[in-house]
Amino acid sequence: MSIGNSPEDERPFDDASEEARPSVGRALQQARIAAGLTVDDVSTATRVRISIIHAIEADDFAPCGGDVYARGHIRTLAKAVHIDPAPLLARYDAEHGGRPSPTPAAPLFEAERIRPERRGPNWTAAMVAAIVAVIGFVGFTVIKGGDDTGGNSNLAGDAATGASATPTPKSKKPADPKPEPSDSAIAAAPQDKVTVKVSAVDGRSWISAKDHNGRQLFDGLLKQGQSKTFQDSSKINLILGDAGAIDLFVNGKKIEDDWQPGAVERLTYTKGDPQAG
């Protein structure tokens, strides 16, 4: 088991007798080390147990519990270390008797046809119809009463003045357009807290965020175009799996760091001006 280890400590010795094409487990291990991730990092990001990750990297798929689960673990681990899972799944299928056949769906459909469908009275539609009828009646009564009152007032006015006066139209002052929110208003953040916004603008990236007590706020894959905002009373701890794909805003200000694609960054931010810990 690897606890608190660095990726460099796990680099395997060169083996001249190894085949040019690495095995499934070997390929996952090499990609993890190239991404700068430890087994603990991948386990935290994927929720796959450390013992299973070690077994898969050693090409031992028995702890997975079957081909279906093994394929799922391979796909999950490949995405966490930023490689395409399709070639690995194809090689696994070739070495383990092919892809599992899907469960036939005919018995399920047959059962659904045999089982009679019971429908109760549609009370919702009846209630909606009754409410619409009441509203219509009330509206008709109000409009009718308004017309009668208005007619009597006009007759009384004509009798008193002898002529109907043409009302003078009142000019209406156009409403002032609402100002668009400024960048500073959008980026405003409470002064008594630390606020961190993570946006995946140039690709997807695995991220992990913890508060000052070490409590996990988020741990997973952020797809391109998605954003997450975290807030704490004093401190936010971040791990960015692919910092080059991320735009980072701390306390309303964008962090202008030249992170390279695929770089793993561990960051800490507190209240006040953005300042990496």
Side-chain angles (χ1 to χ4, degrees), residues 19 49 262:
E19 297 179 0
R49 293 197 301 271

Side-chain angles (χ1 to χ4, degrees), residues 24-60:
V24 173
R26 176 81 171 178
L28 288 172
Q29 184 188 51
Q30 290 176 346
R32 173 179 61 77
I33 294 173
L37 301 174
T38 66
V39 173
D40 291 340
D41 294 335
V42 176
S43 177
T44 301
T46 62
R47 305 298 186 186
V48 178
R49 293 197 301 271
I50 291 176
S51 59
I52 293 180
I53 296 176
H54 278 298
I56 290 176
E57 289 188 353
D59 292 309
D60 178 11

Side-chain angles (χ1 to χ4, degrees), residues 46-158:
T46 62
R47 305 298 186 186
V48 178
R49 293 197 301 271
I50 291 176
S51 59
I52 293 180
I53 296 176
H54 278 298
I56 290 176
E57 289 188 353
D59 292 309
D60 178 11
F61 300 97
C64 297
D67 289 340
V68 174
Y69 296 104
R71 287 171 53 83
H73 287 327
I74 292 171
R75 182 180 292 105
T76 300
L77 296 180
K79 291 180 179 179
V81 298
H82 316 302
I83 61 174
D84 185 8
L88 301 181
L89 293 173
R91 181 161 188 181
Y92 176 85
D93 293 340
E95 294 175 353
H96 294 81
R99 184 173 182 177
S101 58
T103 303
L108 177 61
F109 294 153
E110 187 67 25
E112 291 181 351
R113 285 199 299 268
I114 295 174
R115 185 182 299 115
E117 183 180 1
R118 300 180 60 184
R119 293 185 179 181
N122 193 342
W123 293 111
T124 302
M127 291 178 63
V128 171
I131 293 172
V132 171
V134 171
I135 293 174
F137 176 77
V138 172
F140 174 78
T141 303
V142 171
I143 293 173
K144 184 66 175 176
D147 291 343
D148 293 342
T149 304
N152 293 334
S153 299
N154 289 337
L155 290 176
D158 290 343

Side-chain angles (χ1 to χ4, degrees), residues 168-220:
T168 302
K170 296 182 179 180
S171 61
K172 294 183 179 180
K173 184 179 180 181
D176 295 333
K178 295 182 179 180
E180 294 294 331
S182 62
D183 292 340
S184 59
I186 295 174
Q191 297 298 319
D192 60 339
K193 296 182 179 181
V194 54
T195 303
V196 177
K197 180 180 178 182
V198 183
S199 299
V201 296
D202 294 328
R204 63 184 182 180
S205 173
W206 169 77
I207 65 171
S208 173
K210 295 181 180 180
D211 63 11
H212 71 283
N213 290 322
R215 183 173 62 91
Q216 196 79 53
L217 303 176
F218 181 80
D219 188 343

